[in-house]
Amino acid sequence: MAAAAASARDRRRRSRAPAGGAAHAVGIDDGEEQHLNPFLDAAPSASSRVQFRNMASCARWVEETGAAEVVESRGNLWLTTGVTRAGKLYYNIEEIGFLAERGALILLNDKDETIGIDGIYEKLAGGNYGCSWDTFQAYKHLKSLGYIVGRFGVPWTMKHGGTCDTIAPQMNILETDQSLNRVDGVSNDITKLLKKMQIDGISPSFEVYLPNSKFKKSSPGSPCFLLCLLRGKPPSRVELEAVENNFRGIPLKYCHVDNGRVSFLSFDEVTLPSLP
Amino acid sequence: MDLPGPRWKKGKDGKDFAALAAANPMSTIVAELQAKLRDSEAVATLAVHTRDAILEVGKDQAKLLNCASFGRAVESAGAERQWFQLGPEEVFFLCHALKCVAVESENKARMGAPELWDLLASTSEQFPEMYRAYEHLRLKNWVVKSGLQYGAHFVAYRHHPALVHSEFAVIVVPEGKAFGTRCGRMQVWSELLCVLRASGSVAKTLLVLTISTKSSELGSLDCLEQMIVHERTITRWIPQQCREQQDKSCREVSSNEEQEHTSGGVVFSYWGVVLSFTVLSSLLVYKLKF
């Protein structure tokens, strides 16, 4: 009987085609979860991530804007990461974290001393720069898969080749500097005011675009979807309808982070057809 | 009732890891971890909004944290120091039960165990009973990890997850007035059967830990010792399959009939329920497609 169960599992496993990035969400069999065996004497494989060591970019943290100004840019990660303001490139804290973990960025303080990864994690844990630890996990997950991810409502650049569809009307009144921070944990007065004006509910954290080698910050087009981070309890119908009303026409996805594991969900309103 | 035995994974030599596990009992690993963390005066930092904590450790402690399966390592490019992400039960266990990790809030303020309890309980209603269940299993040297992706609160392993498949999907059910309106889990049949089905489809036995308490309120850390844990499994018995072996209980095998009765009585107020329903409905979709 155990054999029957095992072969049924195998049949399911063989016939399963992971749907896009959702392989984790349907990670059914425990055998799917890859666990490194720490009891073996194998050397840790951290080096597989150190691809950019010789090509690390360099950025200086600017406390007032809660972002880092890129001082030296190497490689071409900047094509899909960071925002441009007045000709300068800025990385926000989740971008800094993602790049630093891969050895692609060195962060400096205003005295040009290196801020190590511990300092970067501290800023994320503190949640004062528009992105907290769990939001960072979601960001990392999508970026690692090649998606292009920007903070919701923060324009990639102030020069536009085309139209920027995603900025909600209220956002146009913001000045360039203040527009750098808006994921969650609101960090300036104007956005605090805006938040009060809106319903206290779910709001998007990121705009997500499909991987695209021809992505242009000056005309990014419409994002593939907006990602809302959910904490606490699952969303109620009322909360879902409220956020859907605010963002008509753009697909919404939701994610929930549980100790570093990110689940992506859609809560789609449907109308079942009446059948004959 | 006889509990099911462990399903050990196999190494590259084709032998299962039972011997490796026997040679490295979890109690020894945890004791070593406790000593090393104490010696280095390890400090974990709580992250805001979420209830996770991050802990920076050296190589030796990282290896022990991995062997005892606490937390998840944060991958970082070629660092000598390693970073771990701990869930709320894990950080509280290391702080209070093992007393080997100090905890700071994000603005560097040290927190004692009572204060940490208050904080974690205030950000999650269910923390008291979840922690009590976690502590109960860990003190028996079971390895306990989040079971959310299987629709359960925890999954319990006999040893490290790389060596053995997890045997139990654990649901924690509080009972009694002290828990107020939280006793909502497993109170409708559709939910119970959903969880049972989800755990069965990943070859785990459903373990229900009921937490009862004599105290009338759960405000502080003191109530922890008053909480009593009762263990019970829920297994399905298939009469068609057991006729030859009368005394042996048979575990459910996923059949081709999908029972998808999800009535309006189910309360989607817990992530475990949402995720277990998505697991089940995805299973149905794949069965229909292939």
Side-chain angles (χ1 to χ4, degrees):
Chain A
M1 207 194 88
S7 64
R9 258 200 313 282
D10 285 344
R11 249 182 286 125
R12 250 184 285 137
R13 209 182 297 167
R14 271 201 298 274
S15 64
R16 183 180 315 134
H24 275 301
V26 197
I28 300 177
D29 196 308
D30 198 30
E32 302 285 336
E33 173 101 34
Q34 294 303 318
H35 291 279
L36 284 176
N37 187 340
F39 295 89
L40 302 178
D41 284 323
S45 59
S47 49
S48 60
R49 295 254 173 203
V50 188
Q51 314 157 21
F52 300 106
R53 245 311 112 97
N54 299 328
M55 282 175 51
S57 299
C58 198
R60 190 177 297 118
W61 181 255
V62 181
E63 183 67 29
E64 305 82 61
T65 54
E69 184 186 323
V70 178
V71 162
E72 203 180 327
S73 184
R74 299 255 181 100
N76 55 10
L77 289 171
W78 65 269
L79 286 169
T80 52
T81 315
V83 297
T84 311
R85 297 285 184 272
K88 292 184 184 171
L89 181 65
Y90 293 87
Y91 289 143
N92 60 38
I93 191 61
E94 64 269 25
E95 292 169 329
I96 294 166
F98 172 75
L99 294 170
E101 279 184 347
R102 275 146 192 78
L105 181 75
I106 295 169
L107 185 67
L108 305 173
N109 63 12
D110 52 6
K111 299 185 189 80
D112 279 357
E113 298 156 329
T114 307
I115 301 176
I117 195 80
D118 52 330
I120 297 171
Y121 285 161
E122 252 177 57
K123 294 188 201 301
L124 283 161
N128 290 319
Y129 303 105
C131 182
S132 47
W133 186 259
D134 52 354
T135 319
F136 173 57
Q137 303 304 311
Y139 175 84
K140 254 204 306 193
H141 190 100
L142 290 175
K143 277 293 276 189
S144 311
L145 291 169
Y147 288 90
I148 298 167
V149 186
R151 276 197 189 177
F152 171 71
V154 177
W156 292 98
T157 172
M158 297 315 267
K159 290 183 195 173
H160 295 300
T163 51
C164 213
D165 306 327
T166 60
I167 305 179
Q170 305 98 301
M171 309 300 187
N172 288 335
I173 67 173
L174 293 173
E175 297 298 319
T176 53
D177 284 340
Q178 287 149 341
S179 73
L180 287 175
N181 293 303
R182 200 175 304 115
V183 174
D184 54 15
V186 179
S187 61
N188 61 61
D189 295 324
I190 294 182
T191 47
K192 270 181 188 138
L193 188 62
L194 282 174
K195 275 237 164 179
K196 279 189 185 139
M197 284 161 51
Q198 289 168 0
I199 303 166
D200 256 320
I202 306 163
S203 60
S205 298
F206 297 114
E207 309 169 345
V208 183
Y209 302 79
L210 290 176
N212 178 6
S213 53
K214 297 187 182 141
F215 181 79
K216 283 194 170 27
K217 290 180 182 177
S218 52
S219 65
S222 293
C224 182
F225 60 89
L226 301 179
L227 186 69
C228 305
L229 189 91
L230 299 174
R231 295 188 183 111
K233 296 193 167 184
S236 66
R237 176 188 62 87
V238 171
E239 288 171 318
L240 288 171
E241 286 181 2
V243 67
E244 282 161 0
N245 277 331
N246 283 337
F247 301 104
R248 290 231 160 271
I250 307 173
L252 293 168
K253 287 204 196 299
Y254 303 84
C255 69
H256 172 70
V257 184
D258 163 52
N259 192 222
R261 185 190 305 273
V262 191
S263 300
F264 294 91
L265 300 170
S266 300
F267 289 88
D268 298 324
E269 195 178 356
V270 296
T271 307
L272 256 55
S274 294
L275 302 171
Chain B
M1 188 216 132
D2 282 337
L3 290 173
R7 288 186 301 133
W8 295 102
K9 293 184 178 175
K10 292 202 163 102
K12 288 187 179 164
D13 56 1
K15 291 187 193 156
D16 74 22
F17 286 123
L20 183 59
N24 295 281
M26 195 47 71
S27 55
T28 313
I29 301 170
V30 173
E32 249 190 274
L33 171 68
Q34 182 184 29
K36 283 246 149 91
L37 286 174
R38 263 195 198 142
D39 290 344
S40 65
E41 298 181 347
V43 180
T45 307
L46 289 176
V48 294
H49 301 315
T50 160
R51 297 171 311 131
D52 288 346
I54 48 180
L55 177 68
E56 185 191 352
V57 291
K59 281 208 163 121
D60 288 347
Q61 295 134 351
K63 170 136 188 178
L64 288 164
L65 277 171
N66 277 324
C67 288
S69 200
F70 279 99
R72 284 163 76 107
V74 179
E75 294 185 54
S76 203
E80 298 101 35
R81 303 285 289 175
Q82 286 203 44
W83 290 83
F84 280 77
Q85 183 165 241
L86 302 167
E89 293 84 15
E90 292 174 321
V91 69
F92 197 79
F93 187 79
L94 291 171
C95 171
H96 174 67
L98 296 185
K99 299 193 183 356
C100 59
V101 166
V103 179
E104 276 178 1
S105 61
E106 74 286 354
N107 50 19
K108 302 287 197 185
R110 263 312 148 95
M111 302 182 86
E115 225 187 313
L116 182 57
W117 174 273
D118 290 341
L119 177 72
L120 293 172
S122 69
T123 48
S124 162
E125 254 193 337
Q126 299 177 297
F127 178 72
E129 58 266 29
M130 290 301 148
Y131 177 71
R132 183 69 190 91
Y134 179 89
E135 182 196 50
H136 173 84
L137 294 172
R138 271 285 189 186
L139 289 176
K140 289 190 181 187
N141 292 308
W142 285 77
V143 171
V144 188
K145 308 298 284 183
S146 169
L148 211 53
Q149 77 269 28
Y150 301 113
H153 292 127
F154 298 112
V155 284
Y157 298 82
R158 198 172 280 257
H159 204 278
H160 191 279
L163 307 187
V164 68
H165 291 287
S166 77
E167 284 162 62
F168 296 105
V170 184
I171 299 283
V172 180
V173 180
E175 152 201 301
K177 285 191 187 144
F179 294 100
T181 52
R182 299 213 291 282
C183 308
R185 199 78 204 266
M186 303 290 271
Q187 302 235 314
V188 285
W189 281 106
S190 47
E191 188 184 338
L192 188 152
L193 292 169
C194 168
V195 177
L196 182 60
R197 189 56 188 262
S199 50
S201 67
V202 290
K204 299 183 200 323
T205 303
L206 178 58
L207 174 68
V208 178
L209 295 180
T210 312
I211 317 280
S212 64
T213 179
K214 291 186 181 147
S215 56
S216 51
E217 56 83 45
L218 298 165
S220 69
L221 181 51
D222 303 327
C223 65
L224 184 61
E225 341 173 282
Q226 309 278 339
M227 288 193 260
I228 303 165
V229 183
H230 312 266
E231 300 172 354
R232 193 173 286 269
T233 57
I234 303 181
T235 40
R236 189 182 280 278
W237 180 69
I238 316 280
Q240 294 93 308
Q241 288 160 3
C242 297
R243 280 170 288 191
E244 322 258 310
Q245 304 145 332
Q246 274 155 11
D247 288 322
K248 207 172 164 188
S249 65
C250 306
R251 294 235 250 130
E252 180 192 4
V253 176
S254 295
S255 66
N256 281 325
E257 317 131 28
E258 295 289 329
Q259 305 140 24
E260 290 296 318
H261 287 298
T262 58
S263 72
V266 176
V267 180
F268 274 89
S269 58
Y270 297 99
W271 280 107
V273 178
V274 174
L275 289 170
S276 64
F277 274 118
T278 57
V279 168
L280 285 187
S281 40
S282 305
L283 270 177
L284 175 61
V285 168
Y286 286 125
K287 279 199 149 79
L288 289 176
K289 272 188 188 166
F290 298 109

